Amino acid sequence: MIKKVSTTINGLDLSIETGKIAKQAGGAVMVTYGETVVLVTATGDSNMREGIDFLPLTVDYQELSYAAGRIPGNFFRREMGRPSEKETLTSRLIDRPVRPRMHKGWSYETQIIANVYSADRVNEPDVLALTGASAALCISDVPFDGPIAGVRVGRVNGEFVVNPTAAQRAESDLDLIVAGSRDAVVMVEGGAELVPEDVVLEGIWFGHASLQPLLDIQEELAAAVGKPKREYNKPVEDTELKAKVSKLAAEGVKKVLATAPKLERYGIKRAVKKEVVAAMGEEAAGREGKVKDIVEDLVSEGMRSMILEQGRRVDGRDFVTVRPISCEVGILPRTHGSALFTRGETQAIVTTTLGTSGDEQRIESVTKEDSFRDFLLHYNFPPFCVGEAKMLRGPGRREIGHGALARRSLQKVLPAKESFPYTIRVVSDITESNGSSSMASVCGGSLSMMDAGVPLSRAVAGVAMGLIKEGDKTAVLTDIVGDEDHLGDMDFKVTGSAEGIAAVQMDIKISGINKEVMAQALAQAKDGRLHILSKMAEAITQPRGAISNWAPRITTIKIPVERIKDIIGPGGKIIRGMQMETGAKIDVEDDGTVHVAAVDGEAGDKALAMIKELTQDVEEGAVYEGTVVKIMDFGAFVEILPGRDGLVHISELDHHRVRAVTDVLKEGDKVKVKVLGVDDRGKVRLSRKALLPVPEGAPQDDDRPPRDDRPPRRGGDRPRRD
């Protein structure tokens, strides 16, 4: 049965259609908005996975090149297996609000695939894929507590806009993606141009109100064509086993909760689990995993109760205190900028490297024109930072997501490219982790860039907020540690400066939070952020006045566009030669801007001199020392500037009559010449004679007859032989 539902968002119809395409998937919808079309499917495998203690959910978002009429730019000319950064971030964007609403105990492999089939480069497909994932799950046989929906929120000229177009986003000082259910916000992701907390809060709830029609049409669709939800073995609590474990583990759990250092606490918890299993003897046989899970649940319940009932956190802090902070800059002697940021048991070494425009990263996209990224931020999370030993692999979705959040936060305070023409790469290596390592990356990134001499407009810091909620009791926690993230109900990261918010990222594990709780979280986050900024200022208050001695000095000059070819040369021959000869790096932009980068000042000066020589204009009346490059019967061609030559007519070689050019000049000779003129076609007339002393008694130039009246040279008028 084909069914189509629609609503209007920002003046455009948004439709969801099912029953026409991908009918064998568990649930499939085609979401259309403007001329952007996304197919989203949700399918649960028919075979249950035994013995797993996690939700087997996979989310994949793909942007297909043909959606924008493109052929992939790689060697294979097809979409590659490794997703792009945009695809990875959008996959996370879908996963984060969907996963908490899947049913506990569901053990069937479930896959959500979102394919962008048409991209109009006006309306972004990411929020359509998020809404489509919910719709596909709602009409499938997979149990799902939906619907949810997602919208993008911008603010143009002080007015909020839902799902802004590409042109509106370019003018917006707010860019948020808000996912929500009927009653609450369940996920937020985005950035802002350092706007106040109340603006961000209002923007989030504007988004929540704007997504309600998307919930309406999903409910209409599910009521019309939704499949019955599949039955599955729901987890049943073994109350008898839990009672026995609780009795045996009671003292051990208290000891766990009384231990602040993370690794020590984890060690005690492991010991408690082993002791309980051993104490139960044969009764625990075959159920060791369940016994250990119960101990884990008891620790979680104890931690949450301690916070709500005693007002004390696992490391002894109150709700608003930030962990102890230390900041150091310039810790690595040969990097361009470096910082060590430590907050509690979370630590990051963050470095900054300055490069040229040739180091920019090319970003291919089907949703907008290709671009070059001149600010890179990479986040690394090695296993040793949490006391583990694992194989090193490439960055996963989490690493890419954390790096993108930190980049979005710091991008707001970067200098304009015109005033600081460097490509900037920041790398955050997490060396210890106990919560909020992405926020440590933001703080360390700000410090390391200031240490590198990057003229940031202001410092930026970040803090992660948490939530514990049981019934009517609520506790909002500032600067959460790992256990509070893992066992709590919210992870709300907020970054910015003293002036306002730069980026936010919020994930909720419960059904959602209301506006009052979010307002409290933003207020506490601001206080925490200001405290962190004050600690950072103790290490460095402003960017250094000069960049590192090991960083390239970039000098920028402007040349006429038509002269670009003169410094590039055929096949890049000239520019490569200059770089090899001087050791400087030369980058030329299409508008004639030339960047010369060199660590050695003399190398840069030499390269600049060569460029100026190559591109300077020939001046009438100027004197040049050139090289004879070609001899003709009527004169000699002399190269007076690299790639620029002119003609010395035979009559301009000397004051006396010259019978043959070779009597005076030969190829390769150095000769001083004066520019007599440059015609409209750029041809240069030169004179050697004008620089020679006039022989005594020789006629002056003004006394000579015009050239056309002079007698012809011998043979000049002879008839041509046929």
Side-chain angles (χ1 to χ4, degrees):
M1 173 184 175
I2 298 177
K3 175 67 176 177
K4 184 175 182 179
V5 293
S6 64
T7 187
T8 301
I9 303 288
N10 193 20
L12 277 180
D13 284 345
L14 187 152
S15 66
I16 304 176
E17 183 181 51
T18 189
K20 183 177 181 180
I21 296 174
K23 295 185 288 295
Q24 295 184 47
V29 296
M30 191 73 83
V31 185
T32 302
Y33 188 60
E35 293 182 343
T36 296
V37 181
V38 184
L39 173 67
V40 190
T41 61
T43 305
D45 195 74
S46 57
N47 297 314
M48 183 175 67
R49 290 184 62 178
E50 300 286 351
I52 62 172
D53 59 354
F54 61 90
L55 175 68
L57 172 66
T58 304
V59 179
D60 291 296
Y61 168 89
Q62 301 180 96
E63 292 184 344
L64 305 170
S65 297
Y66 58 73
R70 298 187 53 167
I71 295 175
N74 55 59
F75 180 80
F76 298 99
R77 291 294 186 266
R78 66 176 298 163
E79 285 76 16
M80 302 298 290
R82 183 175 179 82
S84 67
E85 181 184 272
K86 169 71 181 303
E87 290 171 323
T88 297
L89 295 175
T90 307
S91 297
R92 280 172 50 86
L93 196 73
I94 298 168
D95 186 295
R96 285 160 41 204
V98 165
R99 188 174 292 271
R101 306 185 82 82
M102 301 289 286
H103 287 201
K104 187 176 182 180
W106 175 257
S107 55
Y108 295 85
E109 193 74 48
T110 304
Q111 186 176 35
I112 297 171
I113 298 177
N115 286 334
V116 180
Y117 281 161
S118 177
D120 62 12
R121 298 192 173 186
V122 175
N123 302 289
E124 277 284 345
D126 48 9
V127 291
L128 307 183
L130 196 163
T131 300
S134 170
L137 284 168
C138 284
I139 65 173
S140 75
D141 61 353
V142 176
F144 175 65
D145 292 334
I148 60 171
V151 294
R152 176 175 265 102
V153 175
R155 192 176 75 142
V156 180
N157 298 324
E159 298 292 330
F160 292 117
V161 181
V162 60
N163 285 2
T165 64
Q168 289 173 323
R169 288 182 69 190
E171 300 176 2
S172 176
D173 62 0
L174 194 67
D175 187 17
L176 300 175
I177 293 178
V178 180
S181 62
R182 185 67 72 184
D183 303 318
V185 172
V186 298
M187 190 275 294
V188 178
E189 177 83 31
E193 299 294 334
L194 302 179
V195 303
E197 277 72 11
D198 59 336
V199 172
V200 173
L201 183 64
E202 291 304 319
I204 291 171
W205 288 96
F206 170 82
H208 183 255
S210 300
L211 61 80
Q212 297 300 313
L214 298 175
L215 303 177
D216 295 337
I217 62 174
Q218 288 185 67
E219 290 175 350
E220 179 185 346
L221 189 69
V225 298
K227 298 176 182 177
K229 295 302 180 182
R230 196 186 308 179
E231 294 294 329
Y232 66 100
N233 296 325
K234 297 179 176 63
V236 178
E237 186 178 49
D238 190 334
T239 55
E240 183 180 347
L241 180 62
K242 183 174 182 179
K244 291 180 180 179
V245 174
S246 299
K247 185 176 181 180
L248 291 170
E251 292 303 317
V253 169
K254 289 180 182 178
K255 190 176 180 181
V256 171
L257 296 175
T259 305
K262 172 188 168 182
L263 294 183
E264 186 180 344
R265 183 169 67 252
Y266 283 12
I268 294 172
K269 185 164 60 175
R270 286 193 298 269
V272 171
K273 291 177 180 179
K274 291 180 180 178
E275 291 168 4
V276 172
V277 169
M280 293 186 68
E282 293 184 0
E283 194 176 355
R287 298 194 292 178
E288 292 88 348
K290 288 186 178 180
V291 171
K292 292 179 181 180
D293 287 344
I294 292 173
V295 173
E296 196 71 46
D297 291 341
L298 292 171
V299 172
S300 174
E301 293 169 4
M303 185 202 75
R304 295 170 66 90
S305 176
M306 183 173 66
I307 291 172
L308 291 174
E309 302 298 335
Q310 302 175 31
R312 184 173 67 86
R313 297 162 69 173
V314 69
D315 57 4
R317 287 181 292 153
D318 59 25
F319 296 168
V320 298
T321 298
V322 177
R323 288 171 289 172
I325 292 173
S326 71
C327 304
E328 299 176 52
V329 295
I331 64 167
L332 301 174
R334 290 299 290 263
T335 61
H336 299 166
S338 60
L340 177 66
F341 181 85
T342 307
R343 180 172 54 210
E345 294 177 301
T346 295
Q347 184 183 73
I349 292 177
V350 189
T351 58
T352 295
T353 306
L354 303 178
T356 68
S357 59
D359 297 311
E360 293 177 347
Q361 180 184 14
R362 183 187 177 110
I363 305 296
E364 291 188 356
S365 173
V366 303
T367 60
K368 56 186 176 182
E369 295 295 328
D370 290 353
S371 60
F372 288 88
R373 181 178 291 169
D374 57 15
F375 176 52
L376 315 174
L377 196 149
H378 297 143
Y379 166 100
N380 298 317
F381 194 85
F384 66 77
C385 74
V386 288
E388 296 179 350
K390 294 181 179 179
M391 292 289 290
L392 287 177
R393 293 287 184 265
R397 289 186 173 185
R398 178 181 177 275
E399 285 79 5
I400 292 173
H402 281 10
L405 174 61
R407 185 184 71 243
R408 191 165 62 241
S409 303
L410 294 167
Q411 207 159 19
K412 316 300 182 185
V413 297
L414 293 177
K417 185 73 173 178
E418 294 74 21
S419 61
F420 194 74
Y422 288 87
T423 295
I424 305 168
R425 183 187 184 222
V426 175
V427 178
S428 175
D429 290 302
I430 306 304
T431 50
E432 291 185 52
S433 180
N434 185 16
S436 196
S437 56
S438 63
M439 299 296 93
S441 301
V442 172
C443 301
S446 181
L447 291 169
S448 75
M449 281 197 287
M450 288 195 288
D451 181 55
V454 179
L456 303 183
S457 62
R458 52 186 61 82
V460 174
V463 64
M465 309 300 297
L467 174 71
I468 304 294
K469 190 176 188 305
E470 296 286 352
D472 296 332
K473 294 182 179 180
T474 300
V476 177
L477 310 177
T478 298
D479 183 26
I480 56 175
V481 297
D483 280 346
E484 292 167 340
D485 181 5
H486 177 62
L487 304 175
D489 300 321
M490 178 181 75
D491 181 12
F492 191 3
K493 299 180 177 73
V494 185
T495 72
S497 67
E499 288 73 21
I501 290 175
V504 293
Q505 184 182 88
M506 185 189 76
D507 294 312
I508 296 292
K509 299 176 186 176
I510 54 178
S511 59
I513 62 173
N514 57 35
K515 190 174 183 179
E516 289 70 26
V517 171
M518 189 174 292
Q520 183 183 347
L522 286 171
Q524 283 184 213
K526 181 178 182 179
D527 293 339
R529 185 171 77 247
L530 294 177
H531 169 74
I532 297 167
L533 286 168
S534 69
K535 292 295 183 181
M536 291 166 58
E538 294 175 6
I540 185 168
T541 56
Q542 60 185 10
R544 300 200 187 280
I547 62 175
S548 164
N549 290 333
W550 305 111
R553 263 64 178 173
I554 296 182
T555 304
T556 301
I557 61 173
K558 194 89 169 181
I559 64 172
V561 173
E562 63 271 13
R563 305 306 300 275
I564 292 177
K565 65 181 185 302
D566 297 331
I567 62 174
I568 299 295
K573 179 180 178 180
I574 294 178
I575 193 170
R576 283 198 305 271
M578 287 192 293
Q579 291 182 132
M580 290 180 65
E581 182 177 342
T582 65
K585 188 172 183 180
I586 304 170
D587 293 317
V588 185
E589 298 181 8
D590 292 341
D591 64 352
T593 301
V594 181
H595 303 292
V596 178
V599 175
D600 181 359
E602 291 185 6
D605 292 342
K606 185 177 180 181
L608 283 169
M610 295 173 73
I611 292 169
K612 290 176 181 177
E613 187 179 9
L614 282 168
T615 58
Q616 65 178 312
D617 288 327
V618 175
E619 298 180 19
E620 186 171 345
V623 175
Y624 297 91
E625 182 174 18
T627 303
V628 179
V629 293
K630 193 173 185 180
I631 299 292
M632 304 294 288
D633 289 343
F634 53 82
F637 286 96
V638 178
E639 185 180 53
I640 56 174
L641 294 173
R644 195 80 187 272
D645 55 29
L647 173 66
V648 182
H649 192 270
I650 191 171
S651 63
E652 294 293 338
L653 287 174
D654 210 326
H655 290 285
H656 63 266
R657 183 182 295 274
V658 176
R659 293 182 176 276
V661 177
T662 52
D663 291 343
V664 179
L665 296 175
K666 295 180 178 60
E667 288 188 10
D669 284 354
K670 297 290 185 180
V671 59
K672 284 189 176 183
V673 292
K674 181 178 181 180
V675 178
L676 298 179
V678 182
D679 66 17
D680 294 340
R681 294 178 294 175
K683 292 185 177 182
V684 182
R685 291 191 298 111
L686 304 173
S687 174
R688 173 178 177 270
K689 178 179 67 177
L691 301 176
L692 299 176
V694 179
E696 189 174 342
Q700 299 296 318
D701 287 346
D702 292 342
D703 299 332
R704 290 189 173 195
R707 183 174 296 168
D708 292 341
D709 295 334
R710 296 175 194 168
R713 291 191 300 162
R714 186 189 304 176
D717 290 335
R718 283 189 291 183
R720 197 176 81 180
R721 292 182 181 178
D722 293 329

